[in-house]
Amino acid sequence: MQRDELADFLRRRRAAIRPADVGIADGPRRRTAGLRREEVAMLAGMSVDYVVRLEQGRSSQPSAHLLAALARALRLSDDERAHLFRLAGHQPPPAAGPAVLARAGLIRMLDLLGDTPAMVISDLGEVLAQNRMSVLLSGDQSGFAGDRRYLIHRWFTEPGARAVAEPEEQDRHARQHVADLRAVAGRRAGDPVVTGLVDRLLAASADFRRLWAEHEVAERRADRKTFRHPRVGRLTMDCETLVTPDLGQKLLVLTPADAETRERLELLRVLGAEDFPATHHAGSG
């Protein structure tokens, strides 16, 4: 671990980001053009004290999870992320698998979408990054570990993961999850990450076994979802999915499907301003 180089890199990257780039108001009393340490801490989900120690070269070796959070908070490019990991004494994450990181370009798109809920997910349904409105809508889904990081695994093994969807829509969502995983399994044939996930789901869920046996294949693109939100009620959202050229990551953008949902989403934005981030950890259909 190169503590001094890591500290210098973090300080300079923090100074290079404008608050507006990450959705923070740039008030007239601000003394610096870059982010404050407490703002980096908030964006990365860590303590201010730890950010201070990192920037002063006094920290213990950060974990890969913390580095990934810092990379998202500082909007690092792919090359900068790899450099960050190496300075901290880690190998950069592979292009696919459990340690995958959201692409820098997709992170910037999340920022540009502002008050439109959006998230970046892997082709296996790992939430890699969310913007503020996505967290308010469906909870912070980026902190799960093990198989729980896969939405499809939570859907078929945790009854609470389905609570966000209307009961009459749950079977359709279940079929979509399985058909999408079938498509990924065909595209990544022989990949132990994919085959291992399928095998564990087959062992854990009779419902998954039934749907998997039907061999339906369909990648999820445009869709309409109805959320049951604990604070503002029923929200009907249109979901558009944009994929990277290698199909490894997806940008999910949710827009209100009707005027009532638009009003409730605006109410959620206002309510959330008081207690962001919200973390009710609902699964999205």
Side-chain angles (χ1 to χ4, degrees), residues 249-260:
Q249 294 188 10
K250 305 176 184 180
L251 176 66
L252 271 58
V253 182
L254 295 160
T255 56
D258 52 50
E260 183 179 15

Side-chain angles (χ1 to χ4, degrees), residues 22-259:
V22 293
I24 296 174
D26 190 1
R29 301 177 61 183
R30 197 174 192 94
R31 296 180 179 179
T32 177
L35 293 180
R36 300 185 177 105
R37 284 167 171 167
E38 57 267 27
E39 291 166 342
V40 172
M42 178 193 71
L43 292 168
M46 60 184 63
S47 71
V48 179
D49 178 66
Y50 192 70
V51 173
V52 170
R53 285 187 283 121
L54 279 170
E55 289 197 358
Q56 293 179 347
R58 299 186 294 109
S59 73
S60 57
Q61 184 182 38
S63 68
H65 178 74
L66 286 178
L67 292 172
L70 279 170
R72 289 193 298 268
L74 295 172
R75 304 309 191 248
L76 299 186
S77 69
D78 294 343
D79 291 338
E80 289 169 337
R81 279 193 311 227
H83 185 62
L84 174 70
F85 271 74
R86 292 188 181 101
L87 290 178
H90 291 275
Q91 284 297 312
V100 70
L101 298 177
R103 293 188 174 188
L106 296 182
I107 292 289
R108 287 191 289 272
M109 291 182 71
L110 288 183
D111 296 335
L112 293 172
L113 286 165
D115 290 335
T116 300
M119 65 175 68
V120 180
I121 66 171
S122 74
D123 58 353
L124 288 177
E126 304 160 90
V127 176
L128 309 178
Q130 295 172 268
N131 64 6
R132 175 181 180 274
M133 279 306 299
S134 172
V135 173
L136 292 177
L137 177 64
S138 56
D140 182 355
Q141 300 185 53
S142 63
F144 293 109
D147 280 339
R148 297 193 70 223
R149 68 181 181 271
Y150 302 114
L151 174 56
I152 189 172
H153 195 278
R154 299 199 304 277
W155 182 272
F156 283 101
T157 63
E158 302 177 20
R162 303 189 181 199
V164 71
E166 293 291 326
E168 62 271 19
E169 293 187 0
Q170 291 181 9
D171 182 67
R172 177 173 66 88
H173 288 315
R175 287 182 174 277
Q176 287 177 329
H177 284 310
V178 176
D180 188 72
L181 181 58
R182 266 288 186 189
V184 176
R187 189 171 65 249
R188 294 171 56 176
D191 187 327
V193 174
V194 181
T195 57
L197 174 60
V198 171
D199 289 344
R200 293 189 296 275
L201 279 167
L202 288 170
S205 170
D207 194 22
F208 179 84
R209 289 195 296 273
R210 174 180 62 84
L211 293 174
W212 187 256
E214 295 182 15
H215 211 124
E216 295 180 358
V217 182
E219 295 201 27
R220 302 183 74 173
R221 295 182 177 88
D223 193 10
R224 175 164 289 187
K225 302 179 181 182
T226 302
F227 293 82
R228 292 190 295 172
H229 196 278
R231 302 181 73 185
V232 297
R234 195 171 186 267
L235 297 161
T236 303
M237 309 289 292
D238 286 325
C239 178
E240 290 290 339
T241 304
L242 307 176
V243 298
T244 55
D246 63 359
L247 305 181
Q249 294 188 10
K250 305 176 184 180
L251 176 66
L252 271 58
V253 182
L254 295 160
T255 56
D258 52 50

